[in-house]
Each structure stands twice: as C-alpha cells, then as structure tokens.
C-alpha cells in the first residue's frame, strides 16, 4: 500500500443503506482512509455485471483496497478472499469470479488469501447474510491500515469468472449478454478482435443481422457512436470498456429486442 493516505473503494449490489453501513465499518477501523462508494447500484446477484464494473473502473482509481461485494452465495461454502494485484491494489470480496477480471486488469494476481482470521472480522460473530459488514469491510479497513495480506489466512487460488466465451466462425459471431446498463444497452462478452475475426475489417456503417435463439432477428449497423444512427435506431458499437454492445440511440436495446442477460445473440452479415 502507498505511504500516502490509504484509499478504499466499495462496489456492491446492496443499495445505499447497507453500503453506507459497510463504509461506516471501514471508517471506524481505518479513520485515516479515504472511502469511496464506487457503486451501490449493481443489479442484485449480477456477478458478471459487478465483475465488468470493477474491471472497467478500478484502473482509473488510486492504488488501494477495493471491496467488491455481489454475493448470491453468502453464507455458503464459497470462500471470502483478498487478492493482491501486480499494480499493488488488494481486492476483497467473495470467491465467485467477481474479482478476477479486475485483478487481471491491474497487473494480474500476485497472491491471494482466504479471509479467515477472526482478528480481522467484526467482533461478536459473523451473520449468515451480511458478510459485507462483518467480513469484507473489516478486512478492507485492516488492509488499508497496513496489515499484511498473509495475516488473514491460508493461500487461495481465486476462481475465474464463469461466463461463456464468444463463438467465432467465418461470417458469424455469437456472444453472451453480460449485463444491461442503465440506458438499456446490452454489453456482450466479446470485443472488437472477435468482430474482426468473424467478419474481417468492418467500416462504420456496415449493416449486420442480429439474431437471437427464439428466432427473432433485426438489422443493425456497426457504428462508432450512438449518433451514427437516427434516434430510435439500433446499432452495434464498442463501449468504453472495450466490449461490444447493442444499443438504441436515445432508447433501450433491452426493451426493443426483448433480451436480457445471460442470453446469447448472433451477428451475421446482412442480406
């Protein structure tokens, strides 16, 4: 950790009140830390969405301790972990794949530990359903205050994010919908390299056919930005995280196509 004022971020699916409790726990243990609530609005239980938020956002935050908490398996045998990265950050959260894409974006996993030492949890026991308060926030605070990662528990091998890889063929790309953003755009588990592998170099404005498993299809165009099509028209573009997305200019692709994660879509050349 840097010798300057420690930095802690929190990203959860808890909503404001429960995330505020977590921030309060961090402040009470590490009062010198700057604590940023990166988001308390991740879709409940949406591990892939949370993972993509962390992957996109954390490289732009100061080096610090970053707690990511989207934990549908809370209270089960899934492990609580902390991951040190090549950049020097430590990521704290459930071992369900949430943290690994961000760790890779921050220089890769250097070491990881299970958060099992009771000295670095809240006293009085751990609830079955609020590890964000009782396990993850105290761990983040103690790490920010200078406790070495090795003090928290046994070494761990973090689980990767379990999402279907894109399927690339000549003239066809099938990709999973990772999440829906607040504008109704559908972010896919594929990037521009996958698009080039399927279709070769594509000029902006190139028409494509978008199809989905129930037989639905619609014509879209590959564009640089939303304004490349008229309001209300659909497009494929590369979003700010470097992933492909489906959008409607000034509208919702999720509503227009009736699609939600974790479904898959296929892009083909338009007739």
């Amino acid at each position: 950790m840097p010798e300057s004022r420690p930095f802690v971020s929190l990203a959860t699916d808890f909503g404001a009140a429960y995330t505020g409790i977590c921030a309060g726990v961090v402040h009470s243990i590490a009062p010198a830390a700057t604590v940023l609530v990166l988001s308390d609005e991740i879709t409940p239980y949406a591990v892939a969405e949370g993972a993509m938020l962390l992957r996109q956002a954390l490289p732009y935050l100061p080096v610090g301790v970053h707690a990511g908490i989207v934990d549908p398996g809370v209270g089960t045998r899934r492990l609580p972990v902390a991951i040190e990265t090549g950049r020097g950050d430590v990521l704290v959260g459930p071992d369900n794949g949430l943290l690994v894409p961000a760790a890779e974006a921050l220089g890769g996993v250097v070491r990881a530990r299970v958060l099992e030492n009771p000295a670095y949890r809240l006293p009085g026991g751990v609830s079955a359903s609020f590890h964000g308060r009782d396990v993850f926030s105290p761990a983040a605070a103690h790490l920010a205050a200078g406790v070495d990662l090795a003090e928290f528990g046994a070494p761990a091998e973090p689980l990767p994010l379990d999402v279907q890889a894109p399927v690339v063929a000549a003239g066809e790309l099938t990709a999973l919908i990772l999440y829906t953003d607040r504008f109704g755009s559908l972010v896919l588990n594929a990037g521009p390299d996958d698009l080039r592998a399927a279709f070769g170099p594509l000029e902006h404005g190139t028409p494509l056919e978008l199809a989905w498993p129930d037989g639905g299809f619609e014509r879209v165009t590959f564009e640089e930005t939303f304004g490349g099509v008229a309001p209300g028209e659909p497009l494929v573009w590369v979003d700010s995280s470097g992933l492909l997305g489906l959008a409607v200019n000034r509208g919702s692709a999720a509503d227009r196509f009736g699609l939600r994660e974790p479904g898959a879509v296929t892009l083909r050349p338009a007739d």
Side-chain angles (χ1 to χ4, degrees):
M1 298 279 74
E3 295 182 0
S4 59
R5 185 172 181 175
F7 181 86
V8 179
S9 74
L10 299 169
T12 81
D13 62 351
F14 292 165
Y18 288 117
T19 306
I21 292 171
C22 294
V25 169
V26 175
H27 277 295
S28 67
I29 295 170
T34 297
V35 181
L36 169 71
V37 175
L38 175 62
S39 178
D40 57 24
E41 297 180 335
I42 299 168
T43 302
Y45 320 120
V47 174
E49 177 184 332
M52 292 303 103
L53 168 66
L54 295 171
R55 171 185 171 271
Q56 180 176 7
L58 295 191
Y60 297 95
L61 271 57
V63 174
V65 182
H66 308 290
I69 313 169
V70 182
D71 194 14
V74 62
T76 68
R77 293 174 63 87
R78 72 93 188 92
L79 295 176
V81 294
I83 301 171
E84 182 181 342
T85 73
R87 194 179 80 159
D89 306 84
V90 181
L91 312 184
V92 174
D95 187 27
N96 59 7
L98 175 71
L99 305 177
V100 170
E104 292 170 347
L106 294 171
V109 175
V110 173
R111 56 177 175 156
R113 296 280 174 160
V114 181
L115 302 176
E116 57 189 357
N117 188 336
Y120 304 116
R121 295 178 169 185
L122 284 191
V126 174
S127 74
S129 59
F130 200 1
H131 288 191
R133 177 194 65 193
D134 300 337
V135 178
F136 300 128
S137 295
H142 286 295
L143 286 161
V147 177
D148 188 83
L149 182 60
E151 298 297 317
F152 285 82
E157 292 290 336
L159 295 173
L161 183 65
D162 184 16
V163 294
Q164 177 184 320
V167 178
V168 179
E172 185 171 285
L173 172 61
T174 299
L176 193 74
I177 300 169
L178 286 175
Y179 66 95
T180 305
D181 73 12
R182 65 173 296 160
F183 298 101
S185 299
L186 305 170
V187 180
L188 307 180
N189 188 34
D193 289 347
D194 300 305
L195 198 67
R196 282 190 293 271
F199 302 108
L202 279 184
E203 296 289 335
H204 292 128
T206 300
L208 297 169
E209 180 186 88
L210 171 70
W212 47 95
D214 69 359
F217 66 93
E218 186 159 348
R219 184 186 179 98
V220 299
T221 56
F222 175 58
E223 300 290 351
E224 184 175 15
T225 189
F226 305 113
V229 297
E233 292 301 309
L235 65 140
V236 180
W237 96 114
V238 180
D239 85 344
S240 62
S241 69
L243 295 172
L244 297 180
L246 303 171
V248 171
N249 186 14
R250 304 188 195 182
S252 167
D255 291 343
R256 180 180 182 121
F257 304 134
L259 297 172
R260 294 291 190 275
E261 67 280 358
V265 296
T266 298
L267 293 167
R268 303 185 182 101
D271 295 333

